[in-house]
Amino acid sequence: MSEPNLEPVQLLRQRWELASVLNFFRVFEPLIKAELHLSAEEIEAALISPNDDLARVHIALLKGIPPAIKNVKERNVWITATSKKLAPWWQWVAEGENPLKPENGKEITTYAQLNPVTRLLILKAVCELRGEQEDVLRYITDELKMGRPIMNFRKESIGSNRKGFIFWYDGDSDLGYRLYREEVKIEFKPNWNRKCCLTKPKMIFQWETIATNLGEFQEISEKMMSSEDINEAATGERLKVEILPIVEALHKKRERKLKRQQKEAMMLDAFHISKRSPRKCRDRRPVCYNYDDYDQRINEAINLAENLKKDVNLHEGSATGALQSHSATSSKVDSDSDFTNPDSDYGEKRVTIRGGPKITCSQNSNLPVVLRRSKRNADTSNQMGYRRDGKLEAKKRLRQRPVVNTDYVSDSEADLCNYHEIRVSNTESG
């Protein structure tokens, strides 16, 4: 008997019927074709608190049990269908009294009031009834003919010890892997009515789930390997070599799936939050209809407009002053320039260019000769457009726009003037 203070999950894991149900879904999943993809923990949770997963499990089994039931996918119809199908077969597939009898709709309320262990017994009976159908027998025969080992249908233990414990291992990638321990006890009671006679021995089976995840498998294998019992140590060695790698691979797979689901959930939450975020509300003053407050608002608006106008005028004045200072600075001629006779702005000037011939610019030129030496003209032999032999070469930069309100002439215009005077001098000499 199970202790009454145990939690529902522990009560379920102490029943061999749960291991039998999980094994049935693992073996006959290709025949049922339910595509449940439920883990053992999810089935346990559904037995404790009935939900849609529990309905899916029963519906998948009921579809293969004739006669067919219409509208079985409707809410709670599967409970009525289960009670009707189990009623004539309960004594053949289960023990004790049938806890779910057809009562013209009252069985739905009765099922909701049952404890998890009783719901497990009902599910186990449905699996037994499904296993009695002809397609199951035909499926087993066909699989054996195709060379599938008998161990897939008849489970064998992986070891035992001298205390009478038998160890079982079962599971797959969907349900998960579990390790069970079965204890078999034989009780003899003497018959005091007759001398030297014993009653028929009674066998007591105790079932326990001792490992459901990677950490528990590792702990159990290490404990069994360090045991003094040879059989138990051999079982622990088999767990470590054959079973632990499989459980570890499944553990990593589930961790990746969990991280992916958490990431998708975070992205979905962020999307919903950004979608339903309200507009930022402005701070508004309370409405007041007094004339004094109205006049105060008008005066504040006028003062604000005047202050803005003053700021704009001050900004324009500072910008004009800066522009004038820039114009005055740009109109000056550098005192250390290489040009001669800087006193006159017009007239004939003789200009000497480093590394080139003397060029004369007369008053016939339409452009004033106001040249300014800049940092770009440090190498005048190349940047002014003249080679060492005195011949003109094309410049490789864009025309510069002169500054507003200044007498500045760009380098391109100065070069054009020089080129015109060179042609005039060459014509006179010719």
Side-chain angles (χ1 to χ4, degrees):
M1 296 294 293
S2 300
E3 298 181 4
N5 58 350
L6 293 178
E7 295 183 358
V9 175
Q10 295 176 348
L11 292 175
L12 290 175
R13 292 180 180 180
Q14 289 183 351
R15 306 290 302 197
W16 65 270
E17 291 86 355
L18 178 61
S20 177
V21 169
L22 298 179
N23 178 263
F24 183 87
F25 282 110
R26 182 188 67 81
V27 173
F28 297 105
E29 174 65 25
L31 180 63
I32 298 174
K33 297 179 181 180
E35 297 182 357
L36 298 174
H37 301 294
L38 295 175
S39 64
E41 291 77 11
E42 291 174 340
I43 294 177
E44 291 173 349
L47 290 172
I48 296 172
S49 299
N51 53 21
D52 293 339
D53 293 336
L54 188 61
R56 291 171 55 201
V57 169
H58 284 81
I59 291 172
L61 296 173
L62 294 174
K63 285 182 177 180
I65 303 174
I69 298 177
K70 298 180 180 179
N71 303 327
V72 70
K73 293 185 178 181
E74 293 184 1
R75 184 176 179 84
N76 296 330
V77 174
W78 62 271
I79 300 177
T80 304
T82 302
S83 64
K84 291 181 179 180
K85 289 184 181 295
L86 287 179
W89 292 92
W90 180 263
Q91 57 182 350
W92 301 98
V93 296
E95 297 178 356
E97 186 179 358
N98 184 6
L100 188 65
K101 297 178 181 179
E103 298 180 6
N104 297 325
K106 295 182 179 180
E107 63 274 359
I108 298 176
T109 305
T110 303
Y111 188 85
Q113 297 175 354
L114 297 176
N115 58 65
V117 176
T118 307
R119 296 193 190 106
L120 174 61
L121 297 178
I122 294 174
L123 179 59
K124 171 65 169 55
V126 177
C127 291
E128 292 289 342
L129 184 58
R130 181 67 180 89
E132 295 295 332
Q133 306 305 315
E134 295 182 359
D135 58 344
V136 174
L137 300 177
R138 187 166 53 251
Y139 172 76
I140 295 174
T141 305
D142 294 341
E143 291 293 319
L144 293 177
K145 289 181 179 179
M146 294 176 60
R148 192 171 184 180
I150 190 63
M151 291 180 59
N152 292 330
F153 303 100
R154 182 180 297 172
K155 201 68 180 177
E156 295 183 0
S157 64
I158 61 172
S160 61
N161 60 8
R162 60 189 176 188
K163 295 181 181 180
F165 293 154
I166 303 175
F167 299 96
W168 303 83
Y169 161 77
D170 193 19
D172 58 10
S173 58
D174 289 333
L175 294 171
Y177 297 96
R178 294 195 167 191
L179 183 64
Y180 307 101
R181 183 175 61 190
E182 181 185 9
E183 183 180 2
V184 182
K185 294 182 179 180
I186 302 176
E187 293 183 356
F188 295 92
K189 292 184 179 181
N191 188 359
W192 300 106
N193 296 328
R194 298 180 181 180
K195 296 181 179 179
C196 301
C197 291
L198 298 176
T199 60
K200 185 178 179 179
K202 182 179 180 181
M203 299 184 66
I204 300 175
F205 298 91
Q206 291 185 356
W207 190 271
E208 185 180 2
T209 305
I210 59 177
T212 59
N213 53 51
L214 178 61
E216 294 177 353
F217 269 94
Q218 292 175 345
E219 183 180 356
I220 292 296
S221 63
E222 292 177 359
K223 183 178 178 180
M224 295 176 67
M225 289 175 60
S226 61
S227 176
E228 296 180 356
D229 189 354
I230 299 177
N231 295 331
E232 187 173 345
T235 305
E237 184 68 22
R238 183 178 179 183
L239 281 175
K240 183 177 179 180
V241 175
E242 298 180 6
I243 299 175
L244 272 182
I246 302 174
V247 178
E248 186 175 0
L250 177 62
H251 177 74
K252 293 180 179 179
K253 179 181 178 181
R254 288 186 173 181
E255 280 189 344
R256 291 193 298 267
K257 182 180 179 180
L258 181 61
K259 290 181 180 180
R260 183 171 63 253
Q261 291 177 352
Q262 291 177 351
K263 184 178 180 180
E264 292 175 356
M266 291 176 60
M267 294 175 63
L268 187 61
D269 293 341
F271 173 74
H272 289 320
I273 292 174
S274 62
K275 188 175 182 180
R276 66 171 180 265
S277 59
R279 296 178 59 187
K280 295 182 178 179
C281 299
R282 301 175 181 175
D283 295 334
R284 299 183 182 272
R285 296 180 181 179
V287 178
C288 184
Y289 298 99
N290 296 331
Y291 288 102
D292 296 337
D293 293 338
Y294 177 77
D295 294 337
Q296 184 180 357
R297 301 291 187 273
I298 294 296
N299 294 332
E300 290 179 357
I302 294 173
N303 293 334
L304 180 61
E306 291 179 354
N307 293 334
L308 291 175
K309 186 175 182 181
K310 291 179 181 179
D311 293 341
V312 171
N313 294 335
L314 180 62
H315 178 71
E316 291 180 352
S318 60
T320 305
L323 183 60
Q324 291 178 357
S325 61
H326 176 71
S327 301
T329 304
S330 61
S331 62
K332 293 182 180 180
V333 180
D334 197 353
S335 59
D336 58 349
S337 175
D338 293 332
F339 299 108
T340 60
N341 193 14
D343 296 330
S344 59
D345 293 338
Y346 298 92
E348 183 175 346
K349 296 182 180 180
R350 187 173 299 274
V351 182
T352 303
I353 300 177
R354 296 178 183 177
K358 295 180 180 181
I359 303 172
T360 303
C361 184
S362 62
Q363 296 178 357
N364 296 329
S365 176
N366 295 327
L367 298 174
V369 185
V370 182
L371 302 176
R372 181 172 61 87
R373 183 180 180 184
S374 62
K375 293 182 181 180
R376 295 193 305 250
N377 297 329
D379 188 4
T380 55
S381 61
N382 291 331
Q383 296 189 17
M384 290 297 291
Y386 295 95
R387 296 199 301 265
R388 296 293 182 181
D389 55 359
K391 295 183 180 181
L392 185 67
E393 90 177 338
K395 291 178 64 60
K396 297 181 180 180
R397 62 175 176 265
L398 300 176
R399 178 181 178 88
Q400 299 179 356
R401 180 175 295 179
V403 182
V404 181
N405 297 331
T406 61
D407 295 334
Y408 170 73
V409 179
S410 64
D411 295 341
S412 300
E413 293 176 351
D415 295 343
L416 183 61
C417 174
N418 296 334
Y419 175 70
H420 176 71
E421 295 302 328
I422 290 173
R423 292 189 61 183
V424 172
S425 299
N426 292 336
T427 304
E428 292 176 356
S429 61

